[in-house]
């Protein structure tokens, strides 16, 4: 809104009005504003929740040995995150931008889905929350909407990059003059690092392009659902998910910025995506909201984000990566989320297989994997056998686990950015 106001005032030579056209100015302002909102609104939100005794259900001490300390801590803190993102974006963003609209819709959609889950847990006293099938339907639905929009919208176009060898054997990267609908995506560690979904569907013959778009929509659904659930599983310790997500957001902001700048896109030999610079404004607000939320969520937490926050965070990360055609890099960038999800899958599937044989065998001491590092020997199920019972050798306090996970996320984010040049 303010963007359009000052662009209007610029016509009348109002001093300073032109600065609102700079993406760097609006992004930094969004970062600062989201930090202020999360700190200010967070305090009032926590007090309001405490006055009404709306708090997290006491955690099972067999799962969380520190759960006693957290009794009565308000939850649904994801509302703080959502408000801290949307207010700066609505004020500073260009609302006619298709990518920004997709990010806003994703935020509201998954925020509502997570809110319903938290509402059922708190007010209906049902620890299971929203039924899993409804969560999946909600995640699949927003994935389908995003994928279909990127397929059909005339504004969602790219200028593909091509490498032209010169006589002196140097390679010059150029972008095609026309912006087109593209099924290409960037893959890491490959010299000519563009993968075309239509090439994957080449067996469909003359229908390979249409089949490629169908594959892209399915990929969108998978990415949004997987990353959203991964973030949800990672939200198990104070500051864990918020810190990891802030780091991931910084890496995505770097990708969004270079993808929106034709000179930098040529330098890194990636696709130039016109108008994707508005993602930088959104991600700046996202990072500010995450850091601001840590003010209250770092150990010992004064508020939990709940599914309202974790589902939203994962969806934002997934959709942003899809818009800038970097979804395959999420395997590295969101490595923490991936390992958390993989640990749960391995644990549950292996237990089911062994149970059919009349055995109770588990792989890890606990899942998601971060719980393994804080589980005490006395808290293990005596009727079960643990393949990795001796790992780790001793439990760690959750604040140490959280910080070490942040460090791993920083390494993964740096590695993901490096893949732009390492091929």
């Amino acid at each position: 809104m303010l963007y359009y106001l000052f662009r209007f005032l610029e016509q009348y030579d109002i001093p300073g009005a032109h600065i609102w056209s700079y993406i760097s100015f609006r992004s930094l302002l969004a970062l600062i504003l989201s930090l202020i909102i999360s700190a200010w609104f967070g305090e009032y939100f926590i007090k309001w929740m405490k006055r009404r005794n709306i708090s997290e259900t006491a955690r099972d001490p067999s799962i969380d040995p520190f759960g006693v300390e957290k009794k009565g801590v308000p939850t649904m803190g994801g509302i703080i995150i959502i408000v801290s993102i949307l207010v700066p974006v609505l004020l500073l963003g260009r609302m006619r931008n298709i990518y920004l609209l997709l990010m806003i819709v994703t935020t509201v959609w998954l925020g509502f889905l997570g809110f319903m889950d938290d509402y059922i847990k708190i007010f209906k006293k049902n620890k299971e929350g929203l039924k899993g099938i409804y969560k999946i339907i909600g995640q699949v639905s927003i994935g389908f909407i995003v994928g279909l929009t990127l397929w059909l919208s005339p504004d969602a176009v790219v200028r593909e990059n091509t490498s032209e060898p010169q006589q002196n054997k140097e390679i010059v990267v150029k972008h095609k003059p026309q912006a087109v609908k593209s099924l290409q995506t960037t893959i890491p560690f490959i010299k000519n690092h563009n993968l075309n979904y239509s090439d994957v569907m080449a067996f469909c013959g003359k229908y390979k392009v249409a089949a490629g778009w169908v594959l892209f929509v399915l990929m969108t659904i998978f990415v949004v659902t997987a990353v959203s659930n991964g973030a949800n599983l990672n939200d198990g310790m104070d500051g864990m998910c918020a810190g990891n997500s802030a780091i991931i957001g910084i890496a995505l902001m770097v990708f969004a910025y270079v993808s929106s700048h034709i000179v930098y896109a040529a330098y890194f030999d990636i696709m130039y995506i016109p108008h994707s610079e508005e993602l930088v404004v959104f991600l700046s607000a996202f990072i500010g909201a995450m850091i601001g939320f840590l003010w209250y969520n770092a150990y010992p937490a004064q508020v939990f984000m709940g599914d309202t926050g974790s589902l939203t965070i994962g969806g934002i990360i997934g959709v942003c990566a899809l818009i800038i055609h970097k979804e395959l890099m999420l395997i590295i960038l969101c490595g923490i989320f991936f390992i958390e999800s993989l640990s749960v899958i391995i644990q549950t599937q292996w237990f089911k297989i062994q149970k059919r044989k009349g055995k109770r065998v588990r792989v890890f001491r606990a899942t998601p994997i971060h719980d393994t590092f804080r589980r005490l020997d006395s808290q293990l199920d005596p009727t079960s056998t643990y393949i990795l019972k001796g790992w780790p050798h001793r439990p760690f306090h959750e604040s140490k686990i959280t910080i070490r996970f942040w460090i791993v996320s920083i390494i993964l984010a740096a590695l993901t950015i490096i893949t732009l040049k390492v091929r």
Side-chain angles (χ1 to χ4, degrees), residues 182-196:
S182 178
L183 280 168
Q184 289 190 358
T185 189
T186 304
I187 52 177
F189 302 117
I190 304 297
K191 188 172 184 179
N192 299 314
H193 62 164
N194 282 348
L195 171 71
N196 197 310

Side-chain angles (χ1 to χ4, degrees), residues 266-403:
Y267 176 75
F268 288 108
D269 192 9
I270 58 175
M271 288 169 278
Y272 167 55
I273 307 173
H275 312 303
S276 62
E277 65 273 4
E278 292 305 311
L279 290 178
V280 180
V281 176
F282 185 94
L283 287 169
S284 294
F286 175 78
I287 295 164
M290 292 296 102
I291 297 173
F293 185 70
L294 278 173
W295 186 273
Y296 302 105
N297 186 239
Y299 184 86
Q302 296 171 259
V303 64
F304 299 133
M305 67 169 62
D307 284 15
T308 307
S310 59
L311 291 178
T312 306
I313 288 169
I316 287 171
I317 292 170
V319 172
C320 182
L322 285 156
I323 289 173
I324 58 177
H325 297 256
K326 301 292 181 291
E327 64 271 18
L328 297 183
M329 290 189 172
L330 288 178
I331 297 175
I332 304 172
L333 181 58
C334 295
I336 290 292
F337 295 169
F338 175 72
I339 293 299
E340 295 272 41
S341 300
L342 187 62
S343 67
V344 172
I345 294 171
I346 292 173
Q347 184 87 317
T348 54
Q349 294 305 313
W350 184 256
F351 185 79
K352 287 179 181 178
I353 291 171
Q354 295 301 314
K355 194 173 182 180
R356 295 192 195 104
K357 299 177 183 179
K359 302 177 183 178
R360 293 177 62 86
V361 182
R362 305 176 193 272
V363 178
F364 305 102
R365 296 161 69 95
T367 54
I369 195 68
H370 64 254
D371 280 329
T372 289
F373 297 100
R374 66 177 172 184
R375 182 62 66 91
L376 305 173
D377 289 338
S378 60
Q379 296 170 328
L380 300 180
D381 181 5
T383 65
S384 297
T385 302
Y386 294 85
I387 296 176
L388 298 177
K389 184 177 180 179
W391 179 81
H393 301 298
R394 63 183 178 86
F396 297 92
H397 193 278
E398 70 169 277
S399 59
K400 183 176 287 290
I401 299 170
T402 296
I403 292 173

Side-chain angles (χ1 to χ4, degrees), residues 56-61 64 67 70 235-238 304 374 398:
E56 174 85 359
T57 304
R59 296 185 179 184
D60 186 349
D64 184 0
K70 302 174 186 179
D235 179 33
M237 292 185 180
D238 296 351
F304 299 133
R374 66 177 172 184
E398 70 169 277

